Structure formats: C-alpha cells, structure tokens
Amino acid sequence: MSSSALSLATWLRGSRRPAWLSDPKVLRTEVLAGLVVALALIPEAISFSVIAGVDPAIGLFASFTMAVTIAIVGGRPAMISAATGAVALVIAPLNREHGFGYLVAAVILAGVFQIVLGALGVAKLMRFVPRSVMVGFVNSLAILIFMAQVPEMTDVPWPVYPLIAAGLALMVLFPKVTRVIPAPLVSIVILTVITVAAGIAVPTVGDKGELPSSLPVPGLPDVPFTLDTLTTIAPYALAMALVGLMESLMTAKLVDDITDTPSSKTRESVGQGIANIVTGFFGGMGGCAMIGQTMINVRVSGARTRLSTFLAGAFLMVLCVMFGPVVSDIPMAVLVAVMVMVSVGTFDWHSIAPKTLKRMPAGEITVMLITVACVVATHNLAIGVVVGSITAMVVFAKRVAHLAEATAVTEPDGSSVIYRVTGELFFASSNDLVGRFDYAGDPDEVVVDLSAAHIWDASSVAALDAIETKYAQRGKTVRITGLNEPSARIHDTLSGELTGHH
C-alpha cells in the first residue's frame, strides 16, 4: 500500500471514530442534551403546526425526520434542525389555499432547490454578512424567543408564575451544585412531579395538541403531477428554500463562534435540502435550523457532536409514541422557563453595554438596530438579515465614498498641473471626483496620477472620461498615469465606450 493510501486510511479511521465512542463523559453529555432538546421541541413543533394550519403530529414528524437526517448529512455538528416558525409562516398560505398535499410537494421541491443552491455555492454569500448584522440577528432571535413565551404567561392560572420562577431558579442554581445533568432536564422533571403530585391545574404540553401514537410512514404527496402543480408550489418552495438556508447558515456561523470550530456551509446547505426531501416523503411540514433548541444543545447542555442532534429526533418520537401520557403532563410553565433562560443566554448583552455603544461607529449601531427592528416586526429572520446587509453596504459605500481625494500640484513654470488621486474609485466616490478639478483655471497640460488609487467599476471610467471631455472642450490635454494592472485593464476596455458619442 502506498504512503498516501496509508495516510488516507489512517485519516478515515481517525475521522470516523466519534468522540462519544471513546469518552463516556462526552456520551453522557450528548445523550442528556438530546433528551432536553427533545422535550423542548415538543411544544414548539406543535405550535408551529398550528401556524402552518396542520395537525400537531405533522410538526412532530417533521422535527423527527429533520433532526435525524441532518445529524447524518449536515455540515455543522450539534446544530438542531426541526420544524420552524419561519418555514411555517412561508408555507401556511399554500396549505390554506390548496391543501396539505401541495404543502408536502412544496417541502420536497424546496429541498431540491436547497441542494441546487448549495451546489452552486450559495454558502459563500455568508462572507458578505457583516458582524453588526450577525449581532442584530442574534439579538432579534433572543427577543423573538422571549416574545413567543409571552402568550404562555398571559391569561393563565396564578400557579404558572411560581412555576416559571421556580424553573428559572433551578436552572440558575443547579449548575453550581453539578453540571453532570443539564439543569433544564432537572427543572422539567422536578416541577412536573410536583405539579402532578399536588394536582396543580396549569396548562400542559397535552393542551397544545394530541401527540402521535405511531411512527410516520413514507409516501408520495397527494397532488396531480402536472405543470400546473409545479407552477403553484414553486414560488412557495423557493421562498422556503431561501428562508431555511439563510436561517440555517446564520445559526451554523453562530455555533462556529460559540464552539470555536469550523463547519462546512456547503455541506450544511445540501444537507438541509436532503433533510427536507426526506421530511416531505414522510409527510412532514419541512424545517430548518432552530436557534433556540441549538442554544439549549450547545450553550446550555454543552453538546458538541452529531449524536445529540440524532438523539433529539429519536427521543422526540420515543417520548411521543411510548411516553405520550407522561409527556402530556409536563407543565408549559417549565418549558417557558427553559426558553426564557435560552433567550437571556442568546442575547449579546455586551453589544448594548454603554462602553461598547460609546466606542462603536454610529453606522454599525444603526445596522444592528435596523436588523433587530426588521426581524421583530416581520418575525422573519431572512428579511432582517437582507435589509441589515443592504443597510451595511450603503453605510460602507457612504464611508468609503469620502476616501477618494484629488490634490493639485502645479509645475513651477506653470506649464502643467499634476492631480494626485488617492483612494478607491467606484460609483459612490467617483461622482464627487469630477467636481475636484479646476477646468477653467488649469494650464493646457493636465496629468491625472492614479498610482495611489484603484478603479473598481464602469462609473469610475465614465468619471475619468467626463474629466477628459471637460478639459478637451477648453482645448486642454489630459494624461492619465500610474494605473495598476487591474485598473489599466478596466480603463482600457471601457474608456470612450460608455457614452453614445465618442
């Protein structure tokens, strides 16, 4: 066997052996994290089913198939994917107007779109999401997670409030005793036992909807396989694919930062597509990465491998099918306490500290606030990220526009003038440049020195052409010097070609 084949075999052996197989501590952490996430997924999946207008079992099945599939094919270990509110909002109108069969067909098509977009490299667009948008995304998620709990805290029996307080207290204090068992799991078990034993009447998980009593079975969507069906579902499928990918890639980036480990965003994009196709064939409502449950898994429970994601899905079905009556008795107040802790832990408190705000440029703060405002107003993370990124680009363009300067140095004999241009020349900065020249007062020979500048676009070439034209109208000649190679290439290609008359 050659040395390269040997090293490949060694790498494969090393990379395929998960940490939880060799370290019992890691295994325990992953198993308990999966159980906590599964418990937290149940009420969320049911409430997202309500948003989408489908039976609660559909959301639970989707969460099961999404989590189990993405654990195998996804690019970001320990990230939780399941049925989500963002996807539910996108496909709810399709279900309302055309029926459940069309919804399932749209989920499968959305998966196909995600695979295509992943293969085309849509993940590379993540580099254009600035840090201020990322901070806004995280903070708005924390606000949305908290806002989702508010209905569970209004118009409810008074024992709900002591239960929430007790849940929060347990989760704050229990880690000081031991971190072996996740505090949310302890909180859920203790308070459920107390509530059931004392016969306290409070809203429970069972009140959200009936849990499924059997596993999902695969099948084809109940729709006519025609071009008409395709044109009906395609817009919804594309919207779902884009929203799902954006939310998943942003969440993956967040987990990368928390765990200080890289992940394959292209594999994650394709994985999301595969998971949605599988979910569609099992009659689920589709989904994407879930920030709240991912935070429970990674930040609260300390999970780091694919096992926790897989077990979250597996435990979800086991809990529903085998322990449905027990799970139905869990008070919603305890799960509300868990999600409130998640929202507090997710929020980037450092970003709004007076010391940080004092040092941060006004443009960055504006971008963060606009991102938060858009997400909270629309309950759509994709809209917030897109609007925030566009705002950041406008702020950047405005800032860079002022960096192009032109300083004139007239030769001692007065025969010529040299304009030294510095900075980046693009559409925002080059328009101002035209007004920096003294066309009437300059001598007959004008040199424009661009050795400290760079031409980025056609607008800059058009601006230089306009400068030459204005001098030519006065019988003066212009020489452009100092172009670097890329700038010379774009200038030679476009100069004199951008107006109708030469």
Side-chain angles (χ1 to χ4, degrees):
M1 193 185 277
S2 69
S3 61
S4 61
L6 262 171
S7 60
L8 178 63
T10 310
W11 179 82
L12 280 169
R13 271 202 309 276
S15 67
R16 291 287 159 88
R17 187 174 173 81
W20 49 267
L21 266 179
S22 49
D23 188 341
K25 258 193 207 166
V26 174
L27 179 61
R28 186 183 61 222
T29 301
E30 299 297 311
V31 170
L32 291 173
L35 182 56
V36 174
V37 171
L39 287 165
L41 271 173
I42 293 169
E44 295 260 306
I46 294 171
S47 57
F48 296 146
S49 302
V50 173
I51 292 170
V54 297
D55 192 66
I58 304 301
L60 291 161
F61 288 158
S63 296
F64 162 61
T65 50
M66 285 293 297
V68 167
T69 310
I70 208 73
I72 299 161
V73 298
R76 174 64 261 176
M79 190 166 81
I80 304 294
S81 288
T84 57
V87 167
L89 285 167
V90 171
I91 55 174
L94 179 65
N95 182 55
R96 209 167 38 241
E97 289 162 30
H98 298 279
F100 182 64
Y102 281 82
L103 181 148
V104 172
V107 169
I108 295 168
L109 184 59
V112 174
F113 282 147
Q114 286 178 328
I115 292 172
V116 172
L117 289 166
L120 290 173
V122 74
K124 292 192 178 80
L125 294 174
M126 285 303 293
R127 71 180 73 166
F128 296 108
V129 177
R131 187 186 173 278
S132 48
V133 173
M134 191 70 195
V135 172
F137 168 82
V138 169
N139 289 348
S140 55
L141 275 171
I143 294 166
L144 285 186
I145 291 168
F146 183 81
M147 282 170 65
Q149 311 316 310
V150 173
E152 306 294 339
M153 296 187 265
T154 49
D155 298 324
V156 287
W158 70 264
V160 166
Y161 303 109
L163 278 172
I164 293 173
L168 292 170
L170 272 169
M171 282 182 284
V172 171
L173 300 173
F174 190 77
K176 298 183 193 302
V177 179
T178 178
R179 288 184 178 272
V180 171
I181 305 169
L185 183 58
V186 174
S187 181
I188 290 166
V189 171
I190 290 175
L191 294 177
T192 302
V193 169
I194 291 171
T195 310
V196 174
I200 302 167
V202 288
T204 62
V205 169
D207 296 334
K208 284 280 179 187
E210 205 177 319
L211 301 181
S213 55
S214 61
L215 290 169
V217 288
L220 291 171
D222 183 19
V223 291
F225 291 90
T226 61
L227 189 62
D228 190 41
T229 301
L230 185 65
T231 53
T232 303
I233 65 172
Y236 294 97
L238 184 60
M240 179 187 155
L242 293 171
V243 167
L245 276 185
M246 192 169 293
E247 197 157 331
S248 300
L249 293 173
M250 292 291 281
T251 307
K253 194 163 184 256
L254 182 61
V255 178
D256 290 355
D257 293 342
I258 292 168
T259 60
D260 206 19
T261 54
S263 63
S264 169
K265 305 297 182 295
T266 300
R267 180 175 168 180
E268 184 58 44
S269 304
V270 174
Q272 288 290 331
I274 295 168
N276 272 309
I277 290 170
V278 170
T279 299
F281 282 122
F282 275 94
M285 57 181 267
C288 62
M290 289 192 86
I291 183 79
Q293 272 61 23
T294 299
M295 288 298 103
I296 291 174
N297 199 42
V298 175
R299 187 168 261 166
V300 180
S301 304
R304 292 290 181 270
T305 77
R306 295 176 185 276
L307 182 65
S308 55
T309 308
F310 181 87
L311 289 177
F315 282 147
L316 177 68
M317 275 297 101
V318 171
L319 288 167
C320 289
V321 175
M322 294 177 69
F323 300 99
V326 178
V327 172
S328 294
D329 285 337
I330 296 173
M332 279 304 297
V334 188
L335 295 168
V336 167
V338 172
M339 297 314 289
V340 168
M341 280 297 284
V342 169
S343 72
V344 170
T346 303
F347 198 91
D348 186 348
W349 297 100
H350 177 71
S351 67
I352 58 164
K355 205 163 98 176
T356 310
L357 294 173
K358 217 177 281 178
R359 291 179 179 176
M360 197 71 75
E364 304 268 317
I365 296 168
T366 305
V367 168
M368 182 182 79
L369 292 174
I370 285 174
T371 305
V372 171
C374 283
V375 173
V376 172
T378 62
H379 285 240
N380 190 322
L381 295 159
I383 291 174
V385 171
V386 169
V387 173
S389 298
I390 291 168
T391 308
M393 287 172 192
V394 171
V395 169
F396 173 75
K398 203 173 171 193
R399 196 181 300 157
V400 176
H402 299 299
L403 298 180
E405 293 290 338
T407 49
V409 180
T410 309
E411 292 292 313
D413 60 2
S415 61
S416 66
V417 62
I418 300 171
Y419 280 92
R420 284 201 172 83
V421 179
T422 57
E424 308 300 319
L425 299 183
F426 67 114
F427 61 90
S429 60
S430 55
N431 290 334
D432 291 344
L433 193 67
V434 181
R436 304 280 174 89
F437 292 80
D438 183 4
Y439 302 102
D442 281 341
D444 290 349
E445 194 183 324
V446 178
V447 178
V448 180
D449 179 9
L450 294 175
S451 52
H454 187 99
I455 295 173
W456 287 104
D457 60 5
S459 299
S460 308
V461 177
L464 292 171
D465 283 356
I467 291 164
E468 289 187 83
T469 304
K470 284 177 183 292
Y471 277 117
Q473 285 167 351
R474 292 167 173 80
K476 299 172 184 182
T477 57
V478 176
R479 212 156 34 89
I480 294 171
T481 63
L483 287 166
N484 60 30
E485 199 180 323
S487 299
R489 205 179 303 125
I490 192 168
H491 185 262
D492 293 347
T493 306
L494 296 176
S495 184
E497 301 294 328
L498 297 169
T499 52
H501 48 84
H502 295 184

